[in-house]
Amino acid sequence: MIGRFIYYKLRMYLSGWRNPGTILLHIFLIILFGLYAAMFGYMGNAIYAAKFEGMSFDQFILSGWLIIFGFTLLRAIFPSYTPHKSLFPAYYPITPWKRYLASVIDGFVTPFFFYVLMALVVVVIFLDHYQIPFLLTGLGVMISTHLLRRSLQYAIDYRLRPIGYGLLLIVVAVLVVLGSNYSCSTGIFGFELLVVPAGLLLAGFYQEKAVLGKQQKRLPSFSLLPGKNYYLKLITNNPKARILLPLAIGFKGILLAGLMGIFKEFSPELSSMSGEEGILIWALATPFMLFGYLYNNIWAFWPDAWRNIELRAGGFSQVLQLQLKLLMIPLIIDFIITISLLFPFYDDWFFVLVFYMGFTFYLVFASVFWSLFTPVKVKAAFQATRGNCSTFSAIVSMVALFLLVLIKSIGWVYYFMPIYVIAGGIGVWLARDSYEEKKYGLIRKLKI
Amino acid sequence: MINTENLTKSYNDTPVLENINLKVGYGQGYALLGKNGAGKTTLINLMLDLLLPDSGKTQIMGKESQALTREDKQKLGAVPEDMALIEELNGYDFLYFIGKIYSIPKQTLQKRIDDLFGFFFENPKDLKKRISKYSSGMKKKLAFCAAVIHTPQVLILDEPFSGLDPLVAHQMIDFLKKYQRDDRVIFVSSHDLAYVEKIATHIGVLDQGRLQFDSTMEDFTHYGQNELDAALLEILKPSDSSLENLDWI
């Protein structure tokens, strides 16, 4: 029965892959996870060979398990709290154990666990030492964390008999003791790898039996992000943006990481990043792709949000605020990826910040101008011949980027960056001045 | 109040509205009637500043539509033709988002969302459902909730009853009746004469780009001597082509 359940679950999941955009996104995420896992493997080898100071191999391996633990647990509350799902109704003719097991398995047959599993395997392929213990313990951590999350959620989502809360306390206490015992060592886990997940599985079963009544209707609205997360929802629930944004950010991350890896191996000039290779790396270090893919034509992606602001509040400043809020989350992600890739290899962090922030300022404020002056109707995430933004805006942004990396190669960035900042400011000023006139064109061209 | 002066609009040299002069005062429930394509939506879009007129002007609360400030727009509520919903959000988030645009205090907003949902929606789970999954009737109800959540002085509704089941349409009528006050204006474009009859104090009839009738309900029905649809047909004068010509039916 459970085998058939997994089969149906997988079939249902794969049947959602009919859309070429979704398939492309999954392939892309697989490549992205794979590359980051390969990088982890390479870094592990370098640390093992004592090429990096400040971190021991044991600590590095532990950090890998901690990442799995953290991400698996955070999934419950990111971006907002996801309550337990009741897979089968109470009257369904199935034993309590099978009902519970199906619910546990349902939680495991998800893209997230597929990607984690794949990443673990890739790390093992690229890591030269400690492969099997890393894989087995990683799997143990992944399974145990998911079961721990379920245990915690029983106490959050339901009213339980005292035994249910008691079991949770025991689970947490045992995990704290185990965690503190192994926090300083990567000694091969033995029986714990079986006993801990089995214990958690069993505790969960008895917690489920201790549930009193129905799932609480008033679920906690806790979320990691403050407010109602409108802007995150506007991004993640937008069918076009949720394909293009991960592609833009991931593509940039892969290219940047790949180039840095290649040049580190073959180019002694990388520390200064001043050779021809440096030009490519600095071009990729900006969030240019986000704007070329999407944000230079932002209102074509969120026409309803724009029109609501225009209809109910009106005025350029409210529209600008909306645009900045829609930009904030992708830009923060892009910033974290860029900085985490650049800082370990490039000493002058002040220069990196000026370069990134200055050009981002230009891109953000120029996008306000382009979105208003050169809107293009976007029907699908991938518009083969037309592109997602106007050709003119793409050419101007590319020329601005090309000039900047040339300026970088001759070392005049500090002199020229103010010009970029002023150019961005002029873009906003022009947009503000023409907004009342241009908004009708926006409605007409986007056919809102 | 709503006021238009010599309002003219054409698309690709085809006139849609010609010299429309309209005055809707406080306390009135104004129903704009007309055939499909008569220009009702264009007139409403001009009032809401979603279109620019070729000539003439529209005034709302004494100010030209193009000059309305954020504070002015807080006194204006509207359901445009396509309802202006944000399909990425769920019903609750959408109303909360709209409430924030109108700067409604949190507790007041929460109460109003609960009240409006309680009145218009039977299933509280709909509140957490993505708008893209709503039926057209549910979308219409939500758009209406968004238009009234800030209790505007001027309420402009484009075809508010289309796509609604009779029960909900009556709920909306009851709501609008309660909403009508001496310091408020309700402007409705509609085909549903049976519903219009219950809220309108004044009637306007648009045809061939011109306002063919603009007066009180009593004038329109000759003080109740005519039914609403008969009165409308009298003004619109349907074409002479006879059904007998369609001998292939």
Side-chain angles (χ1 to χ4, degrees):
Chain A
M1 178 259 173
I2 294 293
R4 192 174 297 171
F5 171 72
I6 295 172
Y7 166 71
Y8 282 127
K9 175 92 182 152
L10 280 172
R11 204 175 68 170
M12 209 169 73
Y13 172 61
L14 289 172
S15 67
W17 281 42
R18 283 181 192 148
N19 177 351
T22 313
I23 295 171
L24 200 66
L25 181 67
H26 280 290
I27 293 171
F28 194 76
L29 284 172
I30 288 169
I31 295 171
L32 190 69
F33 268 74
L35 280 172
Y36 276 111
M39 269 177 69
F40 185 88
Y42 276 129
M43 280 180 78
N45 294 337
I47 288 170
Y48 191 83
K51 284 183 184 167
F52 282 90
E53 288 175 7
M55 188 183 249
S56 70
F57 183 69
D58 280 7
Q59 284 170 332
F60 182 74
I61 292 293
L62 267 172
S63 73
W65 295 333
L66 269 177
I67 289 169
I68 295 172
F69 175 79
F71 271 104
T72 311
L73 214 55
L74 276 178
R75 275 179 73 238
I77 51 171
F78 188 86
S80 55
Y81 181 75
T82 326
H84 258 305
K85 267 193 245 167
S86 325
L87 211 56
F88 297 107
Y91 57 80
Y92 202 80
I94 187 174
T95 63
W97 176 248
K98 279 186 179 172
R99 183 193 309 279
Y100 170 69
L101 217 53
S103 168
V104 172
I105 289 167
D106 183 59
F108 275 118
V109 188
T110 60
F112 172 78
F113 285 113
F114 169 71
Y115 293 133
V116 174
L117 200 63
M118 193 201 70
L120 275 172
V121 173
V122 174
V123 170
V124 166
I125 292 169
F126 286 92
L127 197 65
D128 292 338
H129 311 273
Y130 208 65
Q131 300 102 322
I132 300 301
F134 181 81
L135 176 69
L136 292 180
T137 313
L139 281 173
V141 170
M142 181 181 92
I143 294 167
S144 304
T145 313
H146 181 64
L147 293 169
L148 171 67
R149 171 197 158 168
R150 288 182 58 91
S151 272
L152 291 166
Q153 284 192 277
Y154 278 116
I156 297 168
D157 292 354
Y158 301 95
R159 275 181 55 238
L160 302 173
R161 290 197 191 89
I163 181 80
Y165 297 110
L167 278 167
L168 177 63
L169 276 178
I170 294 168
V171 161
V172 172
V174 168
L175 288 179
V176 167
V177 171
L178 268 176
S180 56
N181 272 352
Y182 284 97
S183 63
C184 303
S185 139
T186 49
I188 299 171
F189 283 75
F191 74 100
E192 295 94 334
L193 280 177
L194 289 174
V195 171
V196 172
L200 282 163
L201 191 71
L202 215 57
F205 175 66
Y206 284 104
Q207 273 186 302
E208 185 155 292
K209 284 187 93 173
V211 167
L212 286 167
K214 287 183 179 175
Q215 195 164 18
Q216 289 173 25
K217 280 196 174 168
R218 283 208 165 272
L219 294 163
S221 57
F222 174 75
S223 168
L224 261 189
L225 299 169
K228 297 276 170 197
N229 306 333
Y230 308 118
Y231 303 101
L232 186 65
K233 284 177 189 166
L234 282 174
I235 291 169
T236 54
N237 292 340
N238 184 299
K240 294 166 205 151
R242 74 168 168 225
I243 291 176
L244 287 174
L245 281 176
L247 273 179
I249 294 173
F251 191 48
K252 170 226 174 104
I254 288 173
L255 280 179
L256 191 58
L259 278 176
M260 293 192 75
I262 291 166
F263 295 147
K264 171 113 184 110
E265 193 75 22
F266 299 109
S267 169
E269 290 174 338
L270 187 78
S271 57
S272 64
M273 289 193 202
S274 54
E276 284 170 16
E277 307 88 353
I279 289 179
L280 271 172
I281 288 175
W282 287 107
L284 284 167
T286 65
F288 170 78
M289 282 190 194
L290 286 178
F291 292 86
Y293 273 45
L294 195 144
Y295 282 107
N296 274 353
N297 189 24
I298 188 168
W299 305 126
F301 289 89
W302 287 282
D304 298 329
W306 171 71
R307 207 165 59 131
N308 264 282
I309 294 287
E310 173 51 38
L311 181 69
R312 300 174 202 282
F316 177 74
S317 61
Q318 277 79 33
V319 171
L320 179 64
Q321 276 179 37
L322 176 67
Q323 177 154 1
L324 295 180
K325 283 171 180 170
L326 283 169
L327 266 163
M328 198 168 61
I329 297 168
L331 276 181
I332 289 172
I333 296 170
D334 186 86
F335 177 75
I336 291 169
I337 290 176
T338 309
I339 295 302
S340 62
L341 285 171
L342 284 183
F343 273 4
F345 298 101
Y346 196 72
D347 302 335
D348 192 351
W349 59 268
F350 181 73
F351 176 80
V352 172
L353 286 179
V354 169
F355 184 89
Y356 185 91
M357 297 291 194
F359 195 63
T360 302
F361 182 91
Y362 162 76
L363 286 173
V364 168
F365 288 110
S367 75
V368 178
F369 174 85
W370 296 125
S371 299
L372 190 64
F373 277 75
T374 61
V376 175
K377 176 103 178 147
V378 176
K379 288 181 182 164
F382 300 100
Q383 302 201 130
T385 49
R386 290 173 40 189
N388 294 327
C389 301
S390 74
T391 315
F392 188 60
S393 77
I395 290 171
V396 173
S397 303
M398 277 161 86
V399 169
L401 178 65
F402 181 68
L403 283 175
L404 185 67
V405 290
L406 279 184
I407 290 165
K408 159 72 186 74
S409 67
I410 53 171
W412 286 1
V413 167
Y414 288 123
Y415 304 115
F416 277 84
M417 196 49 87
I419 295 174
Y420 277 89
V421 173
I422 290 167
I426 290 172
V428 176
W429 176 69
L430 285 173
R432 194 199 65 177
D433 236 33
S434 319
Y435 178 75
E436 287 304 323
E437 178 198 334
K438 291 285 174 188
K439 70 178 182 188
Y440 304 107
L442 202 58
I443 293 172
R444 195 179 61 250
K445 283 192 181 166
L446 302 182
K447 293 190 175 64
I448 306 172
Chain B
M1 57 181 267
I2 304 168
N3 189 16
T4 69
E5 279 176 33
N6 299 320
L7 198 63
T8 300
K9 178 74 188 173
S10 50
Y11 294 119
N12 302 324
D13 298 330
T14 309
V16 179
L17 296 175
E18 287 179 83
N19 293 317
I20 303 291
N21 290 294
L22 190 75
K23 211 166 209 170
V24 186
Y26 285 119
Q28 290 184 13
Y30 192 100
L32 186 67
L33 309 177
K35 291 187 275 196
N36 287 334
K40 300 189 294 294
T41 296
T42 301
L43 180 57
I44 285 183
N45 285 346
L46 286 165
M47 288 174 180
L48 298 176
D49 191 28
L50 298 173
L51 272 178
L52 201 58
D54 297 339
S55 63
K57 61 181 179 183
T58 317
Q59 287 184 323
I60 294 193
M61 293 171 287
K63 273 190 178 176
E64 279 198 43
S65 294
Q66 290 86 6
L68 292 178
T69 61
R70 185 175 189 182
E71 288 69 33
D72 297 325
K73 289 200 174 186
Q74 292 195 343
K75 295 174 193 158
L76 172 67
V79 177
E81 185 192 27
D82 65 354
M83 297 179 274
L85 300 169
I86 303 176
E87 302 222 335
E88 288 95 342
L89 302 178
N90 63 37
Y92 178 82
D93 286 341
F94 175 68
L95 288 184
Y96 209 93
F97 183 78
I98 299 303
K100 287 284 158 199
I101 295 176
Y102 289 127
S103 312
I104 303 172
K106 198 176 171 183
Q107 282 182 334
T108 312
L109 179 58
Q110 187 64 53
K111 180 177 169 11
R112 288 184 186 177
I113 292 174
D114 288 346
D115 290 349
L116 285 168
F117 249 83
F119 185 70
F120 284 112
F121 290 79
E122 281 177 14
N123 190 349
K125 281 184 184 166
D126 291 337
L127 204 65
K128 294 285 177 187
K129 212 158 114 179
R130 276 255 292 281
I131 297 173
S132 55
K133 312 263 188 254
Y134 277 23
S135 68
S136 60
M138 286 164 76
K139 284 181 180 175
K140 189 73 84 175
K141 289 191 280 184
L142 189 68
F144 183 78
C145 293
V148 298
I149 198 160
H150 57 302
T151 57
Q153 274 182 287
V154 177
L155 187 57
I156 299 176
L157 310 170
D158 195 353
E159 298 287 355
F161 311 112
S162 67
L164 294 181
D165 63 61
L167 180 77
V168 178
H170 276 102
Q171 280 179 311
M172 207 177 268
I173 293 287
D174 289 343
F175 187 97
L176 287 171
K177 276 183 183 169
K178 191 174 163 74
Y179 197 79
Q180 262 176 334
R181 276 188 354 198
D182 288 345
D183 59 343
R184 289 177 179 162
V185 179
I186 299 175
F187 186 96
V188 178
S189 88
S190 182
H191 292 295
D192 301 281
L193 301 179
Y195 300 136
V196 161
E197 193 177 15
K198 291 175 180 153
I199 50 162
T201 59
H202 289 69
I203 297 281
V205 179
L206 257 185
D207 192 36
Q208 294 173 344
R210 291 177 182 276
L211 200 58
Q212 308 285 2
F213 182 89
D214 178 26
S215 189
T216 61
M217 179 65 113
E218 287 78 18
D219 282 348
F220 188 66
T221 58
H222 299 293
Y223 288 90
Q225 287 175 27
N226 284 349
E227 291 290 328
L228 221 61
D229 52 352
L232 184 63
L233 288 176
E234 202 175 292
I235 294 165
L236 292 181
K237 295 183 184 68
S239 69
D240 295 333
S241 63
S242 167
L243 196 63
E244 285 168 15
N245 294 339
L246 306 177
D247 53 0
W248 52 269
I249 297 179

